[in-house]
Amino acid sequence: AGLGTYGWDYCVNPEQLGTTGWDYCVDPMYASGIFKFGTVSGADFELGYHWTSFNCSIQAKINNEGYVALAHETDNMNSIPPHLDAEQSLNYFKVYWDGDGAYPSPANGCGKCRLNINADACICPTKVKDEIVFTAQPASAEDIISSLYIGAIPPDIAGPSGTFISQPCDGFTVHFPQTSNGVYTRETIFELNHPYHGTKLFLKNTKSTVYLEGWEHATTILEAEDALPGGPSVPNLVLANETNRNRFSGAGYMHFEGAGQGYLEWIVSVPENIDATISFRYEDSWETTNVVDILVNDNVISPEGTKLGSTGNWDYWMDSESFLVPLNSGDNTIQLKYSDPWTGPRVDYLKIEWPTIPSSYSFRNAPHFMSLSQDYNDEGEGETTARDAYYETDAVLDHYHYHPNTAPFICIRLIQRLGISNPSPGHIEACADAFRTGTYSSGGQIFGSGDYGSLEAVTAAITLEPEATSAVLDADPGYGRIREPFLQPIQVLRSLEAELVPLEHHFELWELFDRLDQEPHRFKTVFSHFLPEYIPDVGPTIVPGYVSPESMVVNMPSIIAQLNGLMSLVRYGISDCFVDDGMSLGFGTYPGNGNCLDDGSMQRASAFFSYIPEATTTAGLVQELNTLLCAGRLSQASQDKIVDAYDSYSPAYDEAGAKLRFAYQLVMSTPEFHTSTTVKEDTTKSRPGPSISSSDAGINDYKALIFLFLSGGVDSFSMLPPHTCEGDLYEKYVDIRGGLSNETDPGIALPKQNLLEIPTNNPEHVCSSVGLHQNLQFIDELYKREDAIFVTNIGLLQFPATKEDYRDTNVRLFAHNAMQLETMREDLEGEKYGTGVLGRMKDKLSEAGFACNAYSIAGSQISLLGSPGVASSPIALSSNGMQKFIPQYEASWWTDGDLTPDLTPYILRLNNATAVDSSFMAETWSAKVSNAIYQHKKLYDDLEGDTVTANFKDASGRKSQLCKQLEMTARLMATHESRNAERDFFHVGIGGWDLHSKVIEGLESRFDDVNHCLKAFVEEAEHLGLWNNTVLLQFSEFGRTLNPNSGPEGDGTGKGCDHAWGGNQFIIGGGLKGGQVLGQYPLDFTENGPLVLSRGRIIPTTPWDAIWSGVSPWMGVSAEDMDHVLPMKKNFDSSALFTKDMFFNL
């Protein structure tokens, strides 16, 4: 307030600039002398912060997790904005609690703070104390960095020359304000370069701490109607049924209409002398200011009287000015006396606030960039400016960029991508140092700009560090990596000098994503093509826990597609010549005219290999190709095999060209080509061809278990919300979800009329009925015919968790990759490392004599992985069907056929069993390629010509990924007799459930897809007569927050929800004892509930183990083997687990 640069009076209404406006510094509405916070509404310029004569303070709102939100406490609380209201604000942020990290919370009674109305947070008074940190010269720059957190303006900007006196020290400079005479004060500035990342910093010698206070006694409210009225004219009692006003508290209020010289008197008893703060809540909508006298023990508090200004609006109630008054031990009288004979104020109550007392809780005062005074339109009348948003965003990015974990995090992933899946700590440290310092030195050459994060320095450290260049390390079994599939065609095109045919200007590698599960700029999930922590499902890496990220996309479909594609490149160039039943098996697409001939003519190619070897001998040629394609790592044994095959091969024509193409294909089949490692063959044994498990079982012995994983975290409280329940649970659900989705200001709660009501048929459930999402009509049909079960509030649990100990769970809670992995493993204590729950089940059933097979139609999945050597390895299949493996291609119309001989025996010999000290990565590749060839032949023959009767296409005629996967599952189930299979395990799944925005719209389309695909699958299973032998279990890594986020639109629409924990699940199958809802909803969805964390993240009450405890025995797992299959089962009481009898009709 005051005079601005141009002489304007900023105290007046900024819209009218003093012509008819109110003086906001003196009298914003009427001649009351006070500012009425509760009446400020309407125009944008009235909605920001304003001067007020009322007492106000900042309080801390603390939830059960120790997060803090700011709350503004004023004497008049009529219209505090929600983001500043202690009862409504949800703007929580993390703070760092001092000492042992303890903080007041509803769970521990809030200490001396008060519990808010919703009982989900503590409200505490605060005091901020700024203290000096260093009173003498610090020992080092590291001491300064670890102690100071508040930035300072550089001295040369803070004032003219001479304002500060500078004192250089070892590693930093101290700037003393001239007025301090060289004494360390809170205004002293330290200048230094950060010891870790070198950034120039100016830090203030100040520590700002927020200290929480409390109250010895809760605020006392004494209703006016309970006071003793007196005086010549007694104030009138107005009860609730006698007035249209309704915002008062208690049974009514006292009205001083015509009560001149009347008063209200309260008796207040205290055990000892104490100072207290008193005020009155009143209402007066007339445009006048009333003056009252306040007396404590017959002493007038203010000789001039106390002004009660107009509250401005009907039924608007305000707090009067507050006074600190002494109260004596025993009884005290407090009077409110009105002298004017005319209409006086209406009085609601007397409020007594007792002195605050210090507590033991404190935290470092966190930086805050954005004002809490909101903008209400694009003109920006509030104080939330784009500038501050940029500053805060920059600060967050700087925090991540300069964090000490950033460099090693990035380095591990870059080293993995550039050559070594399991880099040593030394290599990671060298790379991180290069990232930090911006330089790397090798061979007398310095690389990098010297700036933090220099990628030149990082790249040099990754590629020139001895670990990356020493040939000795090739002998280390754990060294190197499997090369990602996309790199192989790229490398051969470069190394063998791909050349465009005349008139072609470019070539295209066609649909690699569908063939290799990998393609530039196209990913299955936001986590890229593979996870950095992935451990392969076969090979020697499993036991020591060595990772091989690329193995995640190296499976039977991608291996067959890779070999087909590479062979096609060699024989026909980039073309569409490699075809089976209309399906192109190569990497090219239709380029134009020409024939497909394996004669070196490349008639149909857009590009071909033009490389001309220099070698004149077979051995020399193989060595030349070894250098070009395998970086010289090809073992002598492999070279000898290729030389022998080359020399013994006699093509019918085009001898030189055909033999060269033959050599190319042999080298491209070696493990040294597909990995960055060396191989030691075990000449004493050969790799046995794996066979798919089989027995003489009949159809009646067959059972299929399908693991349906919806990755991303399904909002399953939209799939199955409460409907008719105890304790108004549906209403609580609507409240925490921000309201109904069909309201003008929509939340994300589904209206009852949009739900399919289903009875729980469970007397122990808190609900007699629950609601099913309206787009899941087929699951509703299955439930009604008792072929479906729902489980409420289920999730990944290591033990029965509570708010006090849930952080002890051995998993990164709320993280996609960690909780996906552990949901599939079901072994948080690591007792069966490297295995999945289905794999362990398959192991025990195989040991018991069952013929078991495991198939993933969703890439390589750890859920199917068992212990090495116990049972047959899982088989990964493509949802698009099986691509034929054509090691020797014969065109029916070309009498001379394919010049290249059948490569199968050569590929198997080149990928023979390796020695125990051979490369883990090479052995993993060789095991995968050998398994793929053997498994492919059997399954391709079984599935060839097999069709389904159900319609898996949607209304537009397309099949979704889920429908394709379930169709392939049904086709495999149909072959169980030809495979003599007794137990089949299937993993299917789709992503896209991580709906941080537009959750309502997103779920509608996704549930439509799930509903349609499951309907088609069940129809096919019934057609096969296998529905009663099938159970499908739906999983997701976690549920989502019940409380929505604000959405991306900025207008309250498009809301989503975020990562949480417990959710709801369905199970379907023909043999189920269906039509029941198991598990339990929480009785309270607020943070006050014993199972609810912030924002409605629910701690599960039913573990995944409960589901598996009921399903595993149905599959045939014995009671003795259950602890092996479910190593965490022992952590739960039997009452928390389900049984086979509860799930299945026997």
Side-chain angles (χ1 to χ4, degrees):
L3 293 178
T5 306
Y6 300 101
W8 293 341
D9 187 349
Y10 282 94
C11 287
V12 300
N13 182 321
E15 183 180 79
Q16 300 180 8
L17 297 179
T19 55
T20 59
W22 306 313
D23 188 339
Y24 272 28
C25 296
V26 178
D27 189 0
M29 290 198 70
Y30 309 102
S32 61
I34 59 173
F35 174 77
K36 293 166 285 299
F37 197 105
T39 62
V40 177
S41 61
D44 291 328
F45 64 82
E46 296 180 298
L47 294 173
Y49 288 135
H50 301 275
W51 294 108
T52 176
S53 61
F54 288 114
N55 290 332
C56 57
S57 62
I58 296 180
Q59 298 180 338
K61 180 180 181 181
I62 304 106
N63 67 9
N64 273 307
E65 297 177 75
Y67 283 61
V68 172
L70 299 181
H72 285 198
E73 172 77 16
T74 74
D75 286 343
N76 175 19
M77 295 295 288
N78 276 328
S79 298
I80 290 289
H83 59 282
L84 297 174
D85 187 347
E87 297 300 337
Q88 299 183 66
S89 175
L90 294 175
N91 290 339
Y92 287 108
F93 54 90
K94 182 178 181 178
V95 301
Y96 295 90
W97 294 94
D98 294 331
D100 60 1
Y103 54 86
S105 69
N108 60 28
C110 287
K112 294 297 183 180
C113 300
R114 73 172 177 86
L115 193 64
N116 71 335
I117 293 175
N118 291 330
D120 58 6
C122 302
I123 311 298
C124 305
T126 63
K127 281 190 176 179
V128 177
K129 187 175 182 181
D130 293 340
E131 303 166 277
I132 186 172
V133 179
F134 293 105
T135 57
Q137 180 176 314
S140 65
E142 285 78 7
D143 284 351
I144 297 173
I145 290 297
S146 63
S147 303
L148 301 182
Y149 301 96
I150 301 175
I153 298 175
D156 59 342
I157 298 176
S161 177
T163 303
F164 287 85
I165 300 172
S166 301
Q167 177 182 312
C169 302
D170 185 14
F172 57 92
T173 300
V174 184
H175 301 283
F176 296 99
Q178 188 179 40
T179 55
S180 70
N181 297 318
V183 175
Y184 284 84
T185 69
R186 291 194 291 112
E187 304 305 318
T188 302
I189 297 173
F190 292 94
E191 176 185 352
L192 69 157
N193 293 326
H194 195 286
Y196 178 73
H197 48 71
T199 303
K200 175 76 72 176
L201 297 175
F202 295 91
L203 298 173
K204 194 175 180 181
N205 188 29
T206 300
K207 176 184 179 182
S208 184
T209 304
V210 177
Y211 292 92
L212 300 189
E213 297 184 325
W215 295 277
E216 189 67 46
H217 305 287
T219 297
T220 300
I221 299 295
L222 299 177
E223 296 291 342
E225 61 269 28
D226 295 331
L228 176 66
S233 300
V234 178
N236 304 302
L237 171 63
V238 181
L239 297 175
N241 62 353
E242 299 172 342
T243 178
N244 292 328
R245 291 173 171 82
N246 56 33
R247 294 182 179 176
F248 54 85
S249 68
Y253 57 82
M254 301 297 290
H255 189 190
F256 278 86
E257 182 177 13
Q261 304 301 316
Y263 65 83
L264 296 175
E265 180 176 285
W266 292 267
I267 305 298
V268 180
S269 298
V270 294
E272 58 186 359
N273 294 345
I274 191 172
D275 291 339
T277 301
I278 65 171
S279 60
F280 299 88
R281 189 170 189 259
Y282 72 98
E283 187 259 355
D284 189 354
S285 60
W286 292 97
E287 299 181 9
T288 57
T289 296
N290 293 297
V291 179
V292 298
D293 290 318
I294 300 175
L295 298 84
V296 176
N297 295 327
D298 298 324
N299 296 313
V300 177
I301 299 303
S302 175
E304 298 83 16
T306 299
K307 292 182 178 180
L308 300 182
S310 168
T311 56
N313 289 284
W314 176 274
D315 206 19
Y316 256 65
W317 299 77
M318 294 176 58
D319 283 0
S320 71
E321 181 181 359
S322 58
F323 299 93
L324 183 65
V325 300
L327 298 179
N328 303 321
S329 175
D331 291 342
N332 297 263
T333 60
I334 299 178
Q335 278 189 1
L336 186 149
K337 187 175 183 180
Y338 182 61
S339 301
D340 197 307
W342 300 102
T343 298
R346 296 163 181 82
V347 178
D348 187 11
Y349 58 66
L350 163 68
K351 179 168 68 174
I352 306 175
E353 297 175 283
W354 306 101
T356 59
I357 57 175
S359 74
S360 60
Y361 304 117
S362 62
F363 57 85
R364 177 164 63 85
N365 200 1
H368 189 66
F369 289 81
M370 298 296 294
S371 169
L372 294 179
S373 181
Q374 297 173 306
D375 282 340
Y376 288 85
N377 62 31
D378 294 337
E379 304 303 319
E381 283 84 0
E383 298 175 10
T384 53
T385 65
R387 178 202 65 183
D388 292 342
Y390 291 141
Y391 285 162
E392 184 161 355
T393 302
D394 283 343
V396 171
L397 294 176
D398 283 346
H399 176 76
Y400 286 129
H401 183 55
Y402 292 116
H403 195 282
N405 288 347
T406 298
F409 178 87
I410 291 176
C411 283
I412 290 172
R413 280 149 181 77
L414 289 179
I415 295 171
Q416 285 183 325
R417 298 282 61 74
L418 296 175
I420 305 172
S421 291
N422 298 275
S424 71
H427 197 177
I428 298 170
E429 182 180 11
C431 174
D433 285 343
F435 188 101
R436 178 177 62 83
T437 63
T439 61
Y440 180 79
S441 177
S442 177
Q445 178 73 34
I446 296 178
F447 300 89
S449 63
D451 297 324
Y452 178 87
S454 168
L455 287 182
E456 177 185 336
V458 168
T459 304
I462 292 172
T463 56
L464 299 178
E465 185 68 9
E467 184 171 338
T469 58
S470 174
V472 174
L473 288 176
D474 283 343
D476 181 351
Y479 187 71
R481 67 163 180 156
I482 292 177
R483 298 169 64 204
E484 49 198 292
F486 175 71
L487 293 183
Q488 281 89 318
I490 298 300
Q491 183 200 355
V492 297
L493 289 168
R494 287 176 170 173
S495 298
L496 300 180
E497 300 177 3
E499 180 180 312
L500 290 168
V501 301
L503 303 181
E504 289 290 338
H505 302 286
H506 71 280
F507 59 81
E508 182 178 1
L509 298 180
W510 188 250
E511 294 182 347
L512 293 186
F513 187 80
D514 294 334
R515 292 165 167 76
L516 306 182
D517 275 345
Q518 193 180 27
E519 185 177 319
H521 316 300
R522 189 175 176 187
F523 310 95
K524 278 190 173 181
T525 74
V526 295
F527 301 109
S528 188
H529 302 293
F530 28 72
L531 300 177
E533 65 270 19
Y534 182 76
I535 298 173
D537 53 1
V538 297
T541 62
I542 298 173
V543 175
Y546 278 40
V547 303
S548 175
E550 297 80 5
S551 292
M552 196 168 180
V553 293
V554 177
N555 47 52
M556 185 175 71
S558 68
I559 289 172
I560 297 301
Q562 181 77 283
L563 293 176
N564 280 338
L566 291 172
M567 293 173 193
S568 176
L569 284 179
V570 173
R571 301 178 200 179
Y572 309 105
I574 299 179
S575 70
D576 62 347
C577 283
F578 232 42
V579 178
D580 174 55
D581 195 22
M583 178 188 291
S584 176
L585 307 183
F587 293 146
T589 185
Y590 179 66
N593 298 318
N595 294 318
C596 295
L597 303 175
D598 181 19
D599 62 357
S601 62
M602 306 294 167
Q603 294 182 28
R604 200 175 175 83
S606 57
F608 60 93
F609 299 144
S610 66
Y611 180 73
I612 301 175
E614 298 178 357
T616 57
T617 65
T618 303
L621 171 65
V622 174
Q623 184 56 50
E624 193 172 327
L625 296 180
N626 176 24
T627 301
L628 284 171
L629 301 179
C630 301
R633 293 190 176 95
L634 196 61
S635 69
Q636 190 59 52
S638 293
Q639 292 184 54
D640 291 343
K641 291 177 183 179
I642 295 172
V643 168
D644 290 343
Y646 183 95
D647 288 340
S648 60
Y649 171 47
S650 299
Y653 58 93
D654 186 31
E655 181 173 0
K659 294 187 75 166
L660 179 60
R661 295 192 296 276
F662 182 48
Y664 287 164
Q665 293 173 82
L666 292 178
V667 174
M668 293 178 195
S669 303
T670 64
E672 291 93 336
F673 173 74
H674 292 276
T675 68
S676 62
T677 63
T678 59
V679 177
K680 294 180 182 178
E681 184 179 4
D682 187 344
T683 58
T684 65
K685 61 182 180 181
S686 60
R687 188 183 303 282
S691 60
I692 300 176
S693 300
S694 64
S695 75
D696 296 326
I699 185 171
N700 292 327
D701 296 314
Y702 175 75
K703 288 182 180 178
L705 190 158
I706 303 163
F707 185 102
L708 169 59
F709 197 83
L710 306 180
S711 65
V714 176
D715 180 23
S716 52
F717 273 90
S718 286
M719 179 181 78
L720 196 76
H723 191 280
T724 304
C725 310
E726 299 174 12
D728 299 323
L729 194 60
Y730 175 78
E731 288 71 21
K732 294 176 182 177
Y733 155 81
V734 172
D735 184 57
I736 196 168
R737 304 232 87 177
L740 294 172
S741 61
N742 60 354
E743 293 177 340
T744 304
D745 182 15
I748 60 172
L750 299 178
K752 280 189 175 182
Q753 64 266 27
N754 293 351
L755 296 173
L756 304 171
E757 184 179 5
I758 59 175
T760 59
N761 298 321
N762 180 356
E764 297 182 359
H765 203 281
V766 67
C767 297
S768 59
S769 68
V770 294
L772 182 62
H773 194 283
Q774 62 181 354
N775 290 30
L776 295 173
Q777 301 97 329
F778 181 68
I779 299 182
D780 178 51
E781 178 185 325
L782 291 178
Y783 188 86
K784 290 175 179 176
R785 64 190 227 196
E786 299 186 353
D787 283 355
I789 293 173
F790 290 100
V791 185
T792 53
N793 196 26
I794 188 170
L796 177 67
L797 282 173
Q798 182 179 355
F799 51 81
T802 65
K803 283 186 176 181
E804 288 70 36
D805 62 10
Y806 77 91
R807 289 187 178 92
D808 296 335
T809 305
N810 188 29
V811 68
R812 295 196 308 277
L813 290 171
F814 322 122
H816 284 295
N817 55 342
M819 295 194 73
Q820 285 177 7
L821 176 68
E822 298 303 338
T823 295
M824 297 177 195
R825 290 185 65 244
E826 261 294 278
D827 181 23
L828 288 174
E829 294 166 357
E831 293 186 22
K832 312 297 178 186
Y833 189 80
T835 64
V837 61
L838 299 181
R840 295 192 297 273
M841 198 184 305
K842 178 169 65 75
D843 283 352
K844 286 302 176 184
L845 291 174
S846 297
E847 290 177 343
F850 289 93
C852 301
N853 297 295
Y855 304 94
S856 173
I857 326 295
S860 299
Q861 299 292 344
I862 196 171
S863 61
L864 300 170
L865 188 60
S867 299
V870 176
S872 60
S873 299
I875 300 171
L877 296 170
S878 170
S879 61
N880 293 318
M882 293 189 68
Q883 184 180 124
K884 187 174 183 179
F885 180 45
I886 309 183
Q888 183 180 31
Y889 185 55
E890 296 182 1
S892 59
W893 58 271
W894 181 244
T895 56
D896 290 326
D898 197 328
L899 284 176
T900 304
D902 183 358
L903 290 176
T904 304
Y906 299 100
I907 296 172
L908 293 175
R909 281 199 292 270
L910 288 168
N911 288 277
N912 196 19
T914 60
V916 292
D917 59 343
S918 183
S919 164
F920 291 170
M921 302 300 165
E923 171 59 21
T924 297
W925 162 262
S926 292
K928 279 179 171 284
V929 72
S930 299
N931 289 349
I933 290 173
Y934 286 117
Q935 293 168 347
H936 181 276
K937 178 173 175 55
K938 171 64 175 170
L939 284 175
Y940 188 88
D941 292 342
D942 285 336
L943 292 171
E944 190 172 19
D946 181 66
T947 59
V948 295
T949 60
N951 181 20
F952 283 87
K953 295 179 180 180
D954 61 20
S956 66
R958 63 176 291 274
K959 293 179 189 175
S960 69
Q961 279 299 315
L962 179 59
C963 281
K964 289 179 181 179
Q965 293 180 34
L966 288 172
E967 181 182 21
M968 175 57 74
T969 300
R971 291 178 61 195
L972 285 164
M973 290 170 58
T975 68
H976 75 279
E977 289 182 304
S978 65
R979 294 183 287 111
N980 293 321
E982 290 179 292
R983 297 291 184 269
D984 277 339
F985 296 86
F986 299 95
H987 184 117
V988 299
I990 53 170
W993 299 89
D994 192 20
L995 296 173
H996 290 282
S997 63
K998 300 182 178 179
V999 64
I1000 297 297
E1001 302 91 327
L1003 286 178
E1004 287 177 356
S1005 61
R1006 286 160 178 79
F1007 283 150
D1008 264 342
D1009 181 44
V1010 169
N1011 189 73
H1012 168 69
C1013 297
L1014 289 179
K1015 182 177 182 180
F1017 172 76
V1018 173
E1019 288 177 1
E1020 188 63 22
E1022 290 176 330
H1023 170 74
L1024 296 171
L1026 298 176
W1027 179 232
N1028 289 341
N1029 304 73
T1030 302
V1031 63
L1032 181 149
L1033 300 91
Q1034 170 262 316
F1035 291 88
S1036 194
E1037 61 263 42
F1038 44 61
R1040 304 194 77 83
T1041 56
L1042 294 179
N1043 186 254
N1045 55 40
S1046 58
E1049 307 300 334
D1051 59 359
T1053 63
K1055 293 175 181 175
C1057 44
D1058 305 313
H1059 302 182
W1061 195 352
N1064 306 314
Q1065 176 195 31
F1066 66 79
I1067 307 163
I1068 61 174
L1072 287 177
K1073 190 181 293 183
Q1076 57 177 328
V1077 177
L1078 303 176
Q1080 191 61 272
Y1081 286 133
L1083 286 170
D1084 188 347
F1085 287 139
T1086 70
E1087 284 186 51
N1088 189 46
L1091 297 171
V1092 184
L1093 306 174
S1094 62
R1095 296 199 56 217
R1097 291 175 295 152
I1098 301 176
I1099 299 173
T1101 45
T1102 301
W1104 295 133
D1105 293 76
I1107 298 294
W1108 295 119
S1109 293
V1111 172
S1112 298
W1114 179 78
M1115 288 293 287
V1117 177
S1118 67
E1120 293 76 19
D1121 290 332
M1122 286 294 288
D1123 286 341
H1124 177 90
V1125 174
L1126 303 174
M1128 298 188 297
K1129 173 177 171 285
K1130 61 182 180 295
N1131 299 337
F1132 300 94
D1133 187 81
S1134 59
S1135 61
L1137 305 174
F1138 303 139
T1139 64
K1140 181 175 72 171
D1141 293 347
M1142 295 173 67
F1143 269 11
F1144 295 96
N1145 295 310
L1146 303 180

